[in-house]
Amino acid sequence: MSTTLTKKTNSALVEEFVSDLKKKNPGENEFHQAVQEVAESVLPFIEENPKYKIAKIFERMTVPDRIVIFRVCWEDDNGVAQVNRGYRIQFNNAIGPYKGGLRFHPSVNLGTFKFLGFEQVFKNSLTTLPMGGAKGGSDFDPKGKTDNEVMRFCQAFMTELYRHIGADVDVPAGDIGVGSREVSYMFGQYKRINNHFTGVLTGKGINFGGSLIRTEATGYGCVYFVEEMLNHRGDSIKGKTCVVSGSGNVAQYTVEKVLSLGGKVVTLSDSSGFIYDPSGVTLEKLEFVKELKDVRRGRISEYAEKFGVEFFPNQGPWSIRCDIAFPSATQNEIVEEDARQLVKNGCIAVGEGANMPTTIEGISIFSGAKVLFGPSKAANAGGVAISGLEMSQNSMRLRWTREEVEEKLKTIMKDIHNQCVEHGTDGDYVDYVKGANIAGFIKVADTMLAYGII
Ligand code: NDP
């Protein structure tokens, strides 16, 4: 009886909070979703710890410190003027300089960046490194643009963004549509304008301050996290069949690490569909994917043509039987029906390489079936963690070896897993969503309390 009453009170609390948030941030659906997912774990915790309630810490954490929106004008190869929007959402710098990637994709809007920035605050807190949370980017679409057009866009974008960032202020990195090419153009322009050679961006080239393993870190880290979840249950990735979505940075290095731990990957995708390779993606085939996606910027259907496997247009890979799912493309790619299908097919673990790839309904299907579910803010934190280490190396003017950085990545992912277990264990099941949300919240919230009302 009392449990039912508490549950009702908790869901009423969440409903009230989210309904107020929706009124104040109309039309920002992804932001509403991200806050609701965190509120479901954090608001009951706050009820038990009134110091956070009195100081309205969670209310404060859902309002960004500031939002910068700006015009980006550039000229295409035909001499035609083009206009895009640039964004930087500096969400919270309680525990360190703002840190978070830049996304270039035509679908983005203010709500996308607010959801990503909000998530980043919790994720960065979980890494154990001193980093606040931010996110930004543009509705610019790099697809189909020449290198020169991408360069002119990146330079125009940085010509405004440089005012708002700095090595001790805000340190952007890559995300969807922003890889080493874009980071290099932006860093070059920042340096030209400012005449400062500082660690103002991460994901830089190795010759100019980049960290070894940064490129691999998000995918590798996600696989390490899933291995930790399985080890905690006395199991491992070895011999498991994995379904991976996406074929960009996160997907590629997820595949690489799954293979090195003895697992098998049977799918890859992009925004046009997925390939199913029942005999498994090998390292050799992965090299083809890297060249296809990073150099030629082609479509994943070419994999199917090259290796004689099936291509399924306009759908995600979630109907394929697997033990482990690694959604590594974009937000909300696993909806309720996909989650049901995965559970029905025997999926035992999910590692979210992408940010918020599973809907709230999908998450409850997984937790209802006791699937090990590694939420993005924990599972994909390896990327930003190594970005944090890139900042340290830049400040110290040195470079750690590949082995040193990978060892640190493993330790950080283990530590994030332990924090989730500490705050999310319920009987014999670890609720990693709850664990990650509460652990991420406590560090930022306690720091905000220490600062007083600001
Ligand atoms: P990339 O741009 O390298 O690759 C993105 C991949 O996802 C591509 O295969 C792309 O297909 C596919 N994709 C993008 N949008 C959609 C869509 N709307 N529907 C279906 N497929 C889509 O990006 P990353 O690999 O860097 O990022 C992937 C995810 O991981 C994102 O959610 C990102 O926020 C997250 N992430 C990335 C980190 C990093 O270090 N890079 C760190 C933490 C999280 P196509 O080629 O057709 O566009």
Side-chain angles (χ1 to χ4, degrees), residues 407-420:
E407 208 40 54
K408 288 180 202 298
L409 172 65
K410 250 193 242 175
T411 307
I412 289 171
M413 297 317 294
K414 207 181 192 52
D415 197 33
I416 296 173
H417 179 265
N418 291 344
Q419 295 176 63
C420 294

Side-chain angles (χ1 to χ4, degrees), residues 81-331:
Q82 300 288 342
V83 188
N84 286 100
R85 283 180 163 229
Y87 299 82
R88 188 68 181 165
I89 317 298
Q90 296 179 331
F91 225 104
N92 186 307
N93 68 351
I95 62 168
Y98 300 107
K99 180 90 197 85
L102 297 170
R103 177 176 293 191
F104 292 169
H105 197 275
S107 68
V108 298
N109 54 46
L110 181 57
T112 316
F113 290 121
K114 281 173 75 175
F115 120 63
L116 289 164
F118 177 75
E119 287 279 302
Q120 198 78 43
V121 175
F122 291 80
K123 182 185 314 197
N124 293 3
S125 165
L126 283 169
T127 64
T128 70
L129 301 173
M131 298 182 288
K135 202 82 187 189
S138 174
D139 59 357
F140 172 74
D141 186 359
K143 269 203 207 95
K145 304 289 190 302
T146 63
D147 276 354
N148 274 335
E149 288 174 328
V150 171
M151 178 186 75
R152 283 196 294 276
F153 173 79
C154 288
Q155 290 175 342
F157 181 79
M158 186 51 82
T159 301
E160 175 57 34
L161 187 70
Y162 90 96
R163 299 174 213 284
H164 311 288
I165 61 176
D168 295 317
V169 180
D170 182 355
V171 183
D175 191 75
I176 291 177
V178 179
S180 59
R181 172 182 63 167
E182 291 76 14
V183 167
S184 304
Y185 288 145
M186 287 190 276
F187 184 73
Q189 181 71 352
Y190 180 86
K191 196 171 62 59
R192 173 161 79 171
I193 297 171
N194 239 343
N195 200 24
H196 283 172
F197 197 110
T198 59
V200 70
L201 286 161
T202 58
K204 300 186 291 297
I206 297 299
N207 291 338
F208 51 98
S211 174
L212 291 162
I213 302 285
R214 174 59 190 92
T215 310
E216 297 89 337
T218 307
Y220 279 17
C222 186
V223 178
Y224 283 139
F225 191 84
V226 169
E227 181 75 345
E228 284 294 325
M229 293 199 297
L230 288 165
N231 287 172
H232 194 67
R233 264 196 190 171
D235 203 348
S236 76
I237 285 177
K238 193 161 192 230
K240 300 286 188 300
T241 298
C242 305
V243 157
V244 175
S245 67
S247 47
N249 173 270
V250 179
Q252 292 170 13
Y253 292 97
T254 295
V255 174
E256 196 164 289
K257 191 49 74 181
V258 165
L259 295 188
S260 83
L261 294 183
K264 177 175 171 183
V265 175
V266 292
T267 65
L268 283 168
S269 74
D270 65 15
S271 51
S272 56
F274 79 94
I275 60 98
Y276 175 42
D277 185 346
S279 65
V281 180
T282 57
L283 280 180
E284 193 191 1
K285 291 173 181 173
L286 183 61
E287 280 314 305
F288 169 82
V289 174
K290 286 181 186 171
E291 202 266 334
L292 171 72
K293 283 296 179 180
D294 306 348
V295 182
R296 285 197 286 123
R297 298 175 196 277
R299 312 309 300 154
I300 199 65
S301 52
E302 289 183 44
Y303 180 111
E305 287 154 28
K306 167 110 182 145
F307 299 111
V309 301
E310 220 172 331
F311 173 68
F312 296 82
N314 305 320
Q315 48 183 308
W318 316 120
S319 57
I320 300 297
R321 203 211 74 74
C322 67
D323 303 302
I324 307 172
F326 286 101
S328 314
T330 193
Q331 63 267 23

